[in-house]
């Protein structure tokens, strides 16, 4: 049981790039089979035609995250009921890059795409948090002055909203922030968004 819990803890770190939710949370993990130090994870996406590059990205992330466990010596990832299941499974389980597995489809590797969607997730999580403070009646300047301590103190009294802060703090850490209590809540530099794009996003958020 402990082994399976460890595997699912790693799977909880595998995010659907479009939905910014974990695969277990979305119900995409179909089965986990553990035989001593060997693990097989099968997963299924919502539709047969889900984007192949996204499917490959998630399959790679399953392999890499579960493979971080010291007791796991081998892992097989099985994407089921997808238009490119065979190619994805062969590519991921033999260590091929996306470009090697899909030479006629790929225009490059997936690192840039991953980065793009994590930037999007950073902005969306921050916006959801700030929208909460707008609904609570905070004015523009008060929102701009919010520190992480302010956020923690405010949301400590609202158990149903704590996940907003937790998700935002976790993605800040992903982008290299230490998350000191007096740090500003609103950040832009970490995600390398152009000034114009960031200004538009932040302005729309705090109108």
């Amino acid at each position: 049981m402990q082994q399976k819990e460890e595997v699912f803890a790693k799977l909880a770190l595998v995010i659907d790039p479009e939905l910014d939710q974990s695969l277990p949370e979305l119900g995409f993990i179909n089965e986990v089979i553990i035989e001593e130090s060997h693990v097989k994870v099968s997963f299924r996406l919502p539709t047969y035609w889900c984007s192949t590059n996204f499917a490959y990205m998630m399959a790679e992330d399953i392999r890499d995250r579960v493979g971080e466990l010291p007791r796991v010596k081998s892992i097989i990832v099985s994407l089921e009921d997808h238009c490119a299941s065979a190619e994805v499974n062969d590519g991921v389980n033999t260590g091929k890059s996306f470009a090697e597995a899909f030479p006629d489809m790929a225009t490059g590797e997936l690192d840039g795409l991953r980065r793009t969607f994590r930037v999007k997730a950073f902005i969306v999580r921050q916006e959801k948090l700030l929208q909460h403070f707008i609904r609570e009646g905070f004015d523009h300047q008060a929102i701009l002055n919010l520190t992480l301590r302010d956020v923690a103190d405010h949301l400590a009294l609202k158990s149903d909203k704590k996940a907003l802060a937790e998700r935002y703090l976790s993605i800040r850490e992903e982008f290299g922030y230490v998350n000191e209590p007096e740090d500003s809540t609103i950040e832009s530099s970490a995600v390398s968004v152009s000034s114009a794009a960031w200004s538009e996003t932040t302005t729309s958020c705090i109108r």
Side-chain angles (χ1 to χ4, degrees):
M1 182 62 70
Q2 182 182 356
Q3 278 185 287
K4 185 163 283 192
E5 290 174 353
E6 290 174 349
V7 170
F8 270 95
K10 287 296 185 179
L11 292 174
L13 302 176
V14 180
I15 305 296
D16 180 300
E18 286 190 293
L19 301 177
D20 188 31
Q21 291 178 270
S22 75
L23 300 198
E25 185 181 5
L26 291 165
F28 291 174
I29 301 299
N30 189 44
E31 187 176 37
V32 173
I33 299 173
I34 302 173
E35 296 180 355
E36 297 182 347
S37 60
H38 308 288
V39 178
K40 179 179 180 181
V41 178
S42 63
F43 73 111
R44 181 182 289 110
L45 300 178
T47 69
Y48 183 76
W49 299 105
C50 279
S51 174
T52 301
N53 53 2
F54 288 167
Y56 205 88
M57 191 185 306
M58 287 182 269
E60 280 188 325
D61 290 348
I62 290 172
R63 179 198 65 198
D64 294 345
R65 287 297 193 177
V66 176
E68 292 171 349
L69 293 169
R71 70 178 70 193
V72 174
K73 303 304 181 187
S74 69
I75 174 169
I76 297 296
V77 179
S78 178
L79 172 62
E80 300 182 348
D81 301 328
H82 186 273
C83 62
S85 288
E87 295 89 342
V88 169
N89 293 338
D90 175 71
V92 169
N93 291 318
T94 58
K96 295 178 182 175
S97 68
F98 180 69
E100 290 170 331
F102 294 93
D104 297 331
M105 181 185 300
T107 57
E109 296 302 343
L110 299 177
D111 290 347
L113 186 63
R114 276 192 176 88
R115 174 73 179 181
T116 296
F117 275 92
R118 296 319 289 157
V119 167
K120 175 184 174 184
F122 187 105
I123 294 171
V124 169
R125 291 188 193 189
Q126 179 170 260
E127 181 173 355
K128 286 181 178 178
L129 181 64
L130 299 186
Q131 287 288 359
H132 165 76
F133 283 97
I134 292 169
R135 289 190 293 271
E136 290 289 298
F138 283 64
D139 63 30
H140 295 185
Q141 193 58 50
I143 289 173
L144 291 171
N145 291 339
L146 280 172
T147 65
L148 296 182
R149 186 191 302 278
D150 297 331
V151 170
D153 290 347
H154 179 79
L155 294 183
L157 305 176
K158 300 177 180 292
S159 58
D160 60 326
K161 300 297 182 183
K162 286 177 65 176
L164 283 174
E166 290 170 355
R167 281 172 56 78
Y168 179 53
L169 289 174
S170 71
I171 203 165
R172 282 174 58 96
E173 290 178 358
E174 185 179 323
F175 278 84
Y177 282 98
V178 179
N179 287 338
E180 296 291 348
E182 301 309 319
D183 285 350
S184 173
T185 298
I186 297 179
E187 298 290 353
S188 61
S189 59
V191 294
S192 300
V193 181
S194 71
S195 298
W198 183 262
S199 175
E200 181 179 350
T201 301
T202 306
T203 301
S204 66
C205 178
I206 61 174
R207 272 176 191 156

